Amino acid sequence: MSQNSTAPKLQPAFIPPADGRIVILTGAGISKESGLETFRDAGGIWSKVRLEDVATPEAFARDPKRCHAFYNMRRARHRAADVQPNAAHHALVRLEQGWPGDVMVVTQNVDTLHDRAGSKNLIHMHGTYNQARCNFCGHVIANEGDLSVEDVCSACNKAAGMRPNVVWFGEMPIEMERIYGALSDCDLFISIGTSGNVYPAAGFVAVVSKHAGAHTAELNLEPSAGATLFAEAHYGPATATVPAYIDALLQSL
Ligand code: BJW
């Protein structure tokens, strides 16, 4: 996709060297304009359901039917025809394809909008909605439809253990070694559409500033919980700020 010439201009405060490494962290805000809800905004997911009831291993052990109902509803929404990658997802693909150095996207989102836009060097640190995992043997399968307590694992044949392959509170996020490797070696860290409330992702900006000495930029609708830790910030909807910021980086080449 080429740059939209009507897009607002934005001047990044720092341009990395052309072979510089860029790590981008994304959160629910980047998918908001694709029609998916965020968690902590007014009217967001955690204003309608308590995370303690649906997003912890204890909640699943206590009431698996309730967890399944919550994720079946979210999965159905993610599959809806009107939920498509937006200009911010596409801009990150342009960066990966056009920037000579390494570009890695680390997303906290369980939606597949980065994948569908075409991001390749992508880590889903909180898992994805379209996989299920057996709680007993760890077997992972592709799963686009509803899950239930009646489902039987095709590997160990046990029932009632199939769960969404997402990371709940108290669980270890995915591929942390690879993520910290990229963070410790990057020149630019960009955080997009995340409130900075959930660790370890909320701590990445401090890790990068301290250990890599890299430049840090926040692109969000409003200042995040960690806003003061960033060297640079641009506030507005992701479909405006992200394409403008990325195209300015690419035009510097
Ligand atoms: C826009 C926009 C637009 C809107 N354009 N922007 C250190 C200190 C304190 C606590 C901890 C700590 N280390 C660990 C913890 C505990 C815990 C934690 O962080 N708790 C906090 C609540 C304090 N962390 C964990 O348990 C994590 N595991 C872990 O640390 O493992 C190590 C360990 C394991 C075991 C024992 C001990 C240590 C796991 C966290 C898992 C989070 N899971 C969820 C659910 C995933 C599945 C699902 O989707 O259902 O992940 S919770 C939810 O929050 C989801 C998100 O990925 C995550 C982050 O949310 P995000 O993306 O930031 O969304 P919002 O809504 O918060 O923000 C949206 C932003 O967008 C806002 O700022 C808007 O303004 C903006 N926005 N529209 C641009 N159009």
Side-chain angles (χ1 to χ4, degrees):
M1 185 184 287
S2 62
Q3 186 196 351
N4 175 358
S5 59
T6 61
K9 293 264 182 280
L10 187 158
Q11 189 52 52
F14 169 81
I15 302 287
D19 61 350
R21 295 165 191 263
I22 303 176
V23 178
I24 299 134
L25 172 70
T26 67
I30 196 169
S31 298
K32 172 78 178 171
E33 292 161 87
S34 293
L36 295 176
E37 291 179 293
T38 62
F39 293 92
R40 296 169 185 82
D41 289 313
I45 294 172
W46 297 152
S47 72
K48 297 173 195 157
V49 55
R50 279 169 18 106
L51 67 88
E52 294 84 356
D53 291 334
V54 292
T56 68
E58 294 78 15
F60 185 69
R62 211 168 42 237
D63 194 347
K65 282 187 179 172
R66 184 172 190 171
C67 287
H68 283 315
F70 173 69
Y71 282 97
N72 289 344
M73 188 188 67
R74 300 256 313 281
R75 204 179 291 109
R77 180 65 197 129
H78 286 170
R79 281 197 313 260
D82 64 312
V83 175
Q84 298 293 336
N86 65 44
H89 299 101
H90 288 301
L92 297 184
V93 177
R94 282 206 299 283
L95 183 68
E96 184 178 356
Q97 291 175 350
W99 189 257
D102 283 353
V103 174
M104 175 186 277
V105 175
V106 178
T107 188
Q108 298 169 85
N109 300 342
V110 302
D111 68 55
T112 55
L113 294 173
H114 286 302
D115 315 61
R116 286 163 57 190
S119 285
K120 298 285 179 234
N121 195 14
L122 169 68
I123 295 179
H124 277 276
M125 66 176 289
H126 291 164
T128 52
Y129 80 87
N130 62 354
Q131 291 182 337
R133 184 172 89 241
C134 176
N135 236 354
F136 299 113
C137 72
H139 184 59
V140 174
I141 57 165
N143 177 70
E144 289 279 350
D146 285 0
L147 286 175
S148 86
V149 288
E150 277 87 41
D151 291 326
V152 174
C153 173
S154 57
C156 70
N157 289 320
K158 288 188 184 163
M162 296 309 288
R163 54 163 281 185
N165 192 24
V166 301
V167 178
W168 287 327
F169 285 100
E171 296 183 324
M172 195 60 82
I174 294 162
E175 295 212 59
M176 289 312 296
E177 209 171 309
R178 218 176 118 210
I179 295 172
Y180 280 122
L183 291 173
S184 67
D185 198 21
C186 74
D187 299 278
L188 172 62
F189 172 72
I190 311 168
S191 176
I192 302 171
T194 175
S195 65
N197 280 299
V198 176
Y199 289 83
F204 290 173
V205 58
V207 169
V208 161
S209 311
K210 196 168 166 192
H211 298 296
H215 185 77
T216 55
E218 164 161 283
L219 306 182
N220 208 32
L221 197 58
E222 58 192 15
S224 70
T228 56
L229 300 173
F230 288 88
E232 174 183 5
H234 301 275
Y235 297 113
T239 55
T241 57
V242 177
Y245 187 93
I246 295 304
D247 288 329
L249 286 183
L250 288 171
Q251 279 163 16
S252 74
L253 290 171

